[in-house]
Amino acid sequence: MKSDAPLLSRRRFLRHTTRLGACVSAAPLVLRHSLLGADAPSKKIVLGMIGMGRQMMALNLKPFLESPDCVVAAVCDVDAWRLEQGLQAVQRFYASKKTSGQDNRCRAYKDFREIIARPDIDAVFISTPDHWHAPMAIAAVKAGKDVSLEKPITRYVNEGRLLADLVRDRQRIFRVDSEFRSLEPFHRAAELVRNGRLGRLHTIRSGCPREVFPAEPEEITPPPPELDYDLWLGPAPEVPYIQKRVHPPKDLKSRPGWMRNLDYCDGMITNWGTHLNDIAQWANDTERTGPVEVKATGTYHQGKVWNVLESFDAWYRFANGVQLFYQMGEPHVRFEGEKGWIQVNYIADRLSPERLKASDPAILREKIGPGEIHFPLQSEKTDFIEAVKTRRPTIEDAEVGQRTTSLCHLAHIAIQLGGVHLRWDPDRERFENNDAANQLLNRPPLRPPWKLE
């Protein structure tokens, strides 16, 4: 279905959403009619869901459908089969709840620009391949929408700075959709560390899972008829269709191939690194700044299509003297201080005693007093919904997302340059005296523009 709003051309869209370093003027907070009238915050937040793939359908859509504060009014995907699955899921849910009018209110779109052009859409949730994250979020913020964005929120440091500044200047609500601050063991560890239960913190160790590279065909074939491959590529380089670049057709369970290709994703170093290192930054009280030194080494998979890192080791030093060691292995974060250590392991079994451990179990029984630092503990979806309604900042906003994602990018840049030792200025977000490293902060040139049907 088409909206009545005119579409931007691809050339204009990509120029405006990726003109990094351009000046952005501040805009006053303007609440749309849906935030002031019958669908006011105390009623319903009107949502558009962009990207109806595995993550959206398995984890992201349901909480918003079940929220009494939201109505999902639009779904979007460049894959017509996935789009239909998303639309049917929304319609089935509202029909089962006999929610008057909502089961037939949701509309389906191939092009996300049609969603952000709708004046009745208050907020969007973006769950697409990583190469689309920042361009879509920037366009949505410019259109006056609040945004919840899957991590990692960027592919490049400079586009993250543009996004974070836009969110601040346009007074939009933004949430990094990472659930780790909502997981009790990580939340508990961060509170204990921030409240000095380990004494002076000196070392943090984090790990992300190892990448898996199963054997699959690598032949060039025509794209499946349901996929608009040109629109899927978007700002990425124009290359022939190979299924391993994209996702298995008519499949919402398998891990998509784009997660292993550097045209669309940086791999595990940012995919899981933005989970675990966000907790590291949170507990270290550096979530709005960054390290001052970084060095890293790694090796890349040598496949025809899959080429992300298959191993790496990274080291950082912060201005407060804390060192962070980050490597590929088991997903965890460990805090070491003068009074002991706390380690949180990512284990699906919520009853496992291995999820949260300490050098002395008494550390974990410590109470956080009323005059100490307390972090909210709620789901990332609830945090976003409440922030949209109240206009308060989210627990993991755009600036936090920029700093955590950048932390991962810095190590990846050091690896790309052969394992160099880099000095970083977190205030200027520039490397000191290394032009080659600074060039890698910037998004490369975009491919020639295309025209939307």
Side-chain angles (χ1 to χ4, degrees):
M1 294 185 180
K2 300 286 186 181
S3 71
D4 295 331
L7 294 179
L8 297 173
S9 70
R10 178 180 188 269
R11 184 186 297 272
R12 286 181 57 216
F13 165 69
L14 293 176
R15 184 172 69 243
H16 287 306
T17 58
T18 57
R19 187 181 294 164
L20 306 178
C23 295
V24 180
S25 60
L29 175 62
V30 178
L31 296 181
R32 296 167 298 285
H33 70 87
S34 60
L35 291 178
L36 298 173
D39 285 331
S42 60
K43 302 290 184 179
K44 299 288 183 182
I45 298 165
V46 183
L47 282 168
M49 313 299 282
I50 302 173
M52 308 309 295
R54 180 186 68 156
Q55 193 77 0
M56 179 72 84
M57 298 297 286
L59 298 172
N60 294 333
L61 177 61
K62 187 177 179 181
F64 291 106
L65 288 174
E66 293 179 340
S67 170
D69 296 313
C70 299
V71 57
V72 176
V75 293
C76 175
D77 204 286
V78 298
D79 183 311
W81 182 83
R82 290 184 165 199
L83 182 60
E84 182 62 22
Q85 301 306 302
L87 180 63
Q88 289 182 10
V90 174
Q91 292 176 334
R92 281 196 304 269
F93 178 86
Y94 287 138
S96 70
K97 300 299 181 182
K98 298 181 172 57
T99 308
S100 176
Q102 290 182 9
D103 57 327
N104 58 13
R105 181 176 180 178
C106 187
R107 299 175 65 186
Y109 300 87
K110 181 173 72 172
D111 192 323
F112 80 97
R113 292 170 293 183
E114 295 187 79
I115 287 182
I116 66 172
R118 278 180 51 173
D120 64 317
I121 297 291
D122 301 314
V124 295
F125 188 102
I126 300 172
S127 185
T128 63
D130 295 358
H131 69 290
W132 265 119
H133 284 183
M136 285 184 177
I138 289 168
V141 171
K142 287 183 175 181
K145 312 305 181 187
D146 297 326
V147 176
S148 184
L149 178 61
E150 271 283 358
K151 54 78 205 162
I153 65 170
T154 69
R155 297 288 320 282
Y156 302 93
V157 172
N158 66 340
E159 67 183 3
R161 173 47 49 209
L162 175 58
L163 174 59
D165 288 350
L166 270 174
V167 169
R168 179 199 63 217
D169 294 342
R170 303 295 177 92
Q171 300 182 51
R172 294 295 91 207
I173 298 300
F174 184 95
R175 182 52 155 94
V176 180
D177 190 66
S178 168
E179 72 275 17
F180 275 50
R181 291 194 181 201
S182 303
L183 299 177
E184 198 278 333
F186 291 100
H187 176 275
R188 177 66 172 157
E191 280 196 340
L192 289 168
V193 174
R194 283 286 290 273
N195 284 290
R197 297 308 191 268
L198 297 182
R200 184 184 66 83
L201 182 67
H202 55 74
T203 304
I204 307 173
R205 304 180 191 276
S206 63
C208 71
R210 295 189 181 280
E211 185 58 89
V212 178
F213 299 94
E216 289 187 19
E218 296 183 335
E219 291 83 10
I220 295 173
T221 64
E226 68 270 14
L227 176 68
D228 186 328
Y229 179 56
D230 190 66
L231 188 53
W232 184 91
L233 286 172
E238 186 172 5
V239 290
Y241 174 84
I242 297 176
Q243 181 180 307
K244 287 175 67 172
R245 293 186 187 278
V246 190
H247 55 254
K250 299 181 179 178
D251 181 349
L252 289 172
K253 295 183 179 180
S254 301
R255 190 161 184 263
W258 61 261
M259 300 184 80
R260 304 178 182 96
N261 185 284
L262 289 169
D263 283 339
Y264 322 113
C265 177
D266 293 292
M268 284 294 189
I269 197 167
T270 57
N271 187 356
W272 272 75
T274 46
H275 281 317
L276 281 306
N277 290 320
D278 175 62
I279 303 301
Q281 294 257 84
W282 198 24
N284 192 35
D285 196 17
T286 51
E287 62 177 349
R288 297 184 182 276
T289 179
V292 295
E293 291 182 77
V294 57
K295 58 183 177 181
T297 58
T299 58
Y300 291 92
H301 185 70
Q302 299 299 313
K304 177 182 176 182
V305 176
W306 290 342
N307 55 5
V308 296
L309 288 163
E310 58 185 15
S311 67
F312 67 85
D313 282 278
W315 168 87
Y316 307 83
R317 185 179 67 83
F318 294 86
N320 62 5
V322 172
Q323 297 183 88
L324 168 62
F325 296 86
Y326 172 41
Q327 62 182 191
M328 187 175 283
E330 294 298 325
H332 74 282
V333 60
R334 178 186 176 98
F335 302 99
E336 300 174 2
E338 58 188 357
K339 296 182 180 180
W341 56 263
I342 298 173
Q343 180 164 329
V344 191
N345 299 308
Y346 183 80
I347 299 174
D349 180 3
R350 293 180 178 270
L351 300 179
S352 171
E354 296 298 308
R355 295 182 82 208
L356 180 61
K357 301 191 297 184
S359 54
D360 182 348
I363 295 174
L364 303 179
R365 296 194 294 269
E366 286 275 345
K367 302 294 185 184
I368 306 299
E372 295 186 286
I373 297 170
H374 291 261
F375 297 137
L377 181 58
Q378 60 182 175
S379 81
E380 70 282 3
K381 308 299 191 292
T382 300
D383 179 38
F384 179 61
I385 292 167
E386 290 186 359
V388 171
K389 287 168 64 67
T390 64
R391 313 312 296 171
R392 64 156 174 82
T394 64
I395 300 168
E396 194 172 346
D397 61 24
E399 185 64 33
V400 172
Q402 160 67 353
R403 298 298 184 161
T404 294
T405 310
S406 294
L407 183 80
C408 302
H409 288 322
L410 300 185
H412 201 189
I413 289 171
I415 293 168
Q416 291 174 73
L417 295 177
V420 295
H421 186 162
L422 298 168
R423 296 187 181 276
W424 176 250
D425 183 339
D427 295 326
R428 296 173 57 240
E429 290 184 307
R430 301 282 293 176
F431 293 105
E432 298 178 1
N433 302 319
N434 194 313
D435 292 338
N438 283 324
Q439 286 298 314
L440 295 177
L441 300 172
N442 305 315
R443 174 183 279 277
L446 301 170
R447 71 186 181 100
W450 42 255
K451 292 183 179 180
L452 187 66
E453 291 293 337

